[in-house]
Amino acid sequence: MLPCTQKIAELPFKPKGVILSGGPYSVYEANAPHVDPALFELGVPILGICYGLQELAWHHGKNVLAGEKHEYGHAYLTIERHSESEEHIDRLFKGMEKEMEVWMSHGDKLSKLPDNFHPIASTSNAPFAGIASTSKPYFGIQFHPEVTHTPKGKQVISNFAIEICKARPDWTMEKFVDKEIERIRVMVGKKGQVIGAVSGGVDSTVAAKLMQEAIGDRFHAVLVDNGVMRLDEARTVKETLTQHLGINLTVIDASDLFLGRLKGISDPEKKRKIIGNTFIEVFQNQAKEIAKAAANTPQAGDIEWLLQGTLYPDVIESVSFKGPSATIKTHHNVGGLLEGMHLKLIEPLRELFKDEVRALGTNLGIPEDLVWRHPFPGPGIAIRILGEVTPEQVRIAREADKIFIDEIQAAGLYRKISQAFAALLPVKAVGVMGDKRVHDQVIALRAVETIDFMTADWYPFDGQFLKRVSRRIVNEVNGVVRVLYDVTSKPPGTIEME
Ligand code: XMP
């Protein structure tokens, strides 16, 4: 993955083919990014997707215009077949049916076919939804083959890579594991030591297990219990990581410190800052302790490395043609904040997407429950308790969340739902319990389905399920009198409530 402005003369390797991806610009705009024209001298196959198609057309005669309307959503693509003499231009859709469902998202369109290009596919709204050069292995498609809403999109990408570029599909998880373990061993050396924070989430656990496989106890995992993790989380994470996965783990119970600093704070961003800064402080102190102890072990050297669970989407975010994006998540920046330790970063997951991290986790023997866990935010339950975070509020939110998640699991819905939790609202409501009138707290349940967490839809539970969860929470969690279900999509809502 390189920025589109990459100078072809400075390519670090000779590619077998090039995919020009989509992007938010219009090729005819003054500030639009363009590829180095030398790309078209490279003599390798090119596939342009969306903006990439338009860039391809722009280079071949500037035939791109703003469309009358933005096309966004499902469309039916009709694939054109050519005569035998022109069969080579049909290779992109080899083995595919004449019609397929695709996902479109564009405002601009081709006004006219570039010279020496043929249409290879169309939709009712886009006569040039697919084009191919008659003389060179250049292809362009207006739809997005890379999204799940284009069910046969993988086949299109595979046809390009294997049929057209002649690349061999020899990447397997087993080979990745072996190569990565070897790479870590060489990088860290025979005595080098690595430290890294774990949270109980998928990414940090998989990264930690990979380090443990590579260098054993010279990897030091640290779990900071911030007092706002899920019910019983610190204990269960410790059990899984140490007993099941054999990871060298130190757990620091800093609950009192975190909750003390959160006292009286209701502003969501202030809560995030306090938790983030306190985490760095606690982790840093612990890192120094571990480094001191490590310095006394004759068979190992100093701690020189910091493990980070960076995934490929974070890397993509930083490969913008404008330079590294400013929006990389702050928790991925702890390295620079470990003052005085001058740690180098080690990022074994940086070439993987989330589904590949899960496959890697399974390959490394991490329990399925953990591999398929819903994401949990760094600031934890603190941003699910709207208003002030007190130990009593933490108890209520945790107990309600546990019941909700247990019921989701019992109903076999856990994997279908992308993220679910209980939040505690900062209001009180009236109810009758027994014969008494009570004035107590309100729990809001949230469950969403999403692919990328950028947009999300609330999960349509059946009424009996909600009834069961509500009854259990009101009966079993002291201090709760009502349960609500959040039916807001993202956007306009966010997944978390703060
Ligand atoms: P939102 O609420 O922005 O959430 O729709 C999208 C995803 O990000 C997670 N999230 C966070 N994760 N620190 C984190 O580590 C945070 O401050 C934070 N805020 C939201 C959220 O749980 C969801 O998966």
Side-chain angles (χ1 to χ4, degrees):
M1 176 83 64
L2 295 166
C4 60
T5 47
Q6 168 72 37
K7 291 270 164 284
I8 298 300
E10 292 164 15
L11 269 184
F13 51 84
K14 164 116 196 237
K16 286 203 156 84
V18 173
I19 295 180
L20 302 176
S21 74
Y25 290 83
S26 289
V27 282
Y28 46 79
E29 282 172 338
N31 63 345
H34 290 290
V35 294
D36 179 354
L39 171 67
F40 300 97
E41 310 301 320
L42 203 56
V44 299
I46 298 174
L47 171 64
I49 296 174
C50 196
Y51 183 90
L53 157 93
Q54 291 160 14
E55 177 69 359
L56 193 64
W58 193 246
H59 183 81
H60 288 88
K62 303 204 164 30
N63 307 314
V64 180
L65 279 180
E68 293 87 59
K69 55 178 191 193
H70 190 108
E71 190 182 13
Y72 181 80
H74 290 281
Y76 281 90
L77 187 82
T78 305
I79 294 167
E80 323 264 328
R81 297 284 179 217
H82 294 84
S83 63
E84 237 168 67
S85 63
E86 288 173 338
E87 223 176 20
H88 61 284
I89 68 176
D90 288 340
R91 286 175 296 169
L92 194 62
F93 299 125
K94 190 177 167 187
M96 304 180 69
E97 308 263 320
K98 197 170 164 50
E99 290 254 313
M100 74 166 177
E101 196 185 340
V102 296
W103 185 257
M104 289 283 202
S105 176
H106 65 111
D108 295 337
K109 62 174 189 185
L110 298 201
S111 54
K112 145 172 177 310
L113 262 185
D115 289 345
N116 299 327
F117 273 78
H118 260 23
I120 54 169
S122 58
T123 67
S124 56
N125 204 29
F128 309 129
I131 60 170
S133 161
T134 46
S135 53
K136 294 191 170 152
Y138 294 169
F139 300 83
I141 47 181
Q142 187 60 70
F143 62 92
H144 287 269
E146 75 280 15
V147 301
T148 43
H149 297 301
T150 300
K152 296 274 163 55
K154 258 192 186 167
Q155 172 84 45
V156 177
I157 295 172
S158 149
N159 280 351
F160 178 70
I162 299 169
E163 295 289 329
I164 298 167
C165 301
K166 308 287 179 212
R168 270 177 294 124
D170 57 2
W171 193 98
T172 63
M173 193 49 84
E174 289 74 22
K175 277 196 207 161
F176 173 80
V177 171
D178 293 346
K179 240 173 82 181
E180 198 51 32
I181 288 179
E182 194 44 41
R183 196 181 70 93
I184 295 168
R185 284 184 182 147
V186 170
M187 206 154 94
V188 173
K190 285 209 157 40
K191 288 188 152 193
Q193 305 207 51
V194 181
I195 191 162
V198 290
S199 65
V202 190
D203 305 344
S204 65
T205 308
V206 172
K209 180 63 188 161
L210 198 57
M211 295 308 299
Q212 188 269 337
E213 291 277 332
I215 60 168
D217 282 356
R218 284 187 289 131
F219 170 62
H220 306 265
V222 177
L223 174 71
V224 177
D225 182 353
N226 58 13
V228 283
M229 294 169 79
R230 298 177 180 106
L231 189 66
D232 251 355
E233 180 86 342
R235 190 184 56 76
T236 46
V237 172
K238 181 174 181 184
E239 210 174 276
T240 311
L241 265 62
T242 54
Q243 290 170 21
H244 198 96
L245 301 173
I247 292 168
N248 171 15
L249 171 75
T250 309
V251 180
I252 308 158
D253 182 0
S255 314
D256 291 344
L257 179 67
F258 280 86
L259 290 174
R261 288 185 183 175
L262 285 168
K263 200 161 181 240
I265 308 291
S266 304
D267 179 74
E269 286 314 303
K270 275 198 190 136
K271 288 185 197 171
R272 280 195 165 82
K273 274 214 181 81
I274 290 170
I275 294 172
N277 292 340
T278 308
F279 172 83
I280 289 161
E281 189 184 313
V282 173
F283 181 64
Q284 184 157 296
N285 288 339
Q286 189 58 36
K288 284 181 183 154
E289 290 293 312
I290 291 176
K292 243 191 267 164
N296 297 329
T297 29
Q299 68 277 24
D302 292 337
I303 295 184
E304 289 173 31
W305 299 87
L306 176 73
L307 173 72
Q308 298 229 323
T310 315
L311 304 193
Y312 203 48
D314 304 318
V315 178
I316 293 175
E317 230 181 300
S318 61
V319 189
S320 151
F321 81 97
K322 287 180 174 172
S325 145
T327 56
I328 298 172
K329 290 178 205 136
T330 43
H331 66 266
H332 284 139
N333 284 334
V334 287
L337 294 162
L338 285 185
E339 290 160 10
M341 288 187 73
H342 307 295
L343 298 175
K344 293 174 274 187
L345 286 189
I346 187 160
E347 300 175 302
L349 312 181
R350 65 176 282 122
E351 288 183 4
L352 306 181
F353 285 98
K354 192 84 175 185
D355 57 332
E356 292 170 327
V357 174
R358 291 204 161 109
L360 172 59
T362 305
N363 187 290
L364 292 169
I366 296 174
E368 285 285 292
D369 286 0
L370 207 160
V371 163
W372 286 98
R373 239 169 156 203
H374 290 173
F376 186 70
I381 280 179
I383 56 167
R384 295 172 176 178
I385 294 168
L386 283 66
E388 192 188 350
V389 181
T390 65
E392 176 62 1
Q393 302 292 71
V394 172
R395 175 195 63 80
I396 294 176
R398 273 182 172 163
E399 289 179 9
D401 187 71
K402 170 100 171 71
I403 292 172
F404 186 34
I405 299 297
D406 282 353
E407 287 293 337
I408 287 176
Q409 267 159 345
L413 298 172
Y414 190 78
R415 280 212 204 171
K416 201 161 173 358
I417 292 168
S418 313
Q419 194 167 354
F421 58 87
L424 184 56
L425 302 185
V427 287
K428 282 193 164 184
V430 170
V432 274
M433 287 176 119
D435 286 335
K436 274 207 314 252
R437 182 181 181 280
V438 290
H439 191 216
D440 254 333
Q441 293 205 248
V442 181
I443 283 285
L445 305 176
R446 180 114 172 104
V448 296
E449 285 179 288
T450 171
I451 290 180
D452 54 10
F453 294 84
M454 303 296 285
T455 61
D457 218 346
W458 54 275
Y459 187 78
F461 288 115
D462 70 49
Q464 288 306 321
F465 175 88
L466 289 172
K467 207 181 247 182
R468 195 160 57 243
V469 175
S470 154
R471 194 168 46 225
R472 277 198 61 195
I473 292 178
V474 173
N475 285 335
E476 295 173 34
V477 184
N478 221 337
V480 178
V481 71
R482 265 168 214 243
V483 177
L484 315 179
Y485 185 49
D486 185 345
V487 288
T488 321
S489 300
K490 173 182 180 176
T494 51
I495 294 174
E496 299 294 342
M497 289 210 191
E498 279 196 337

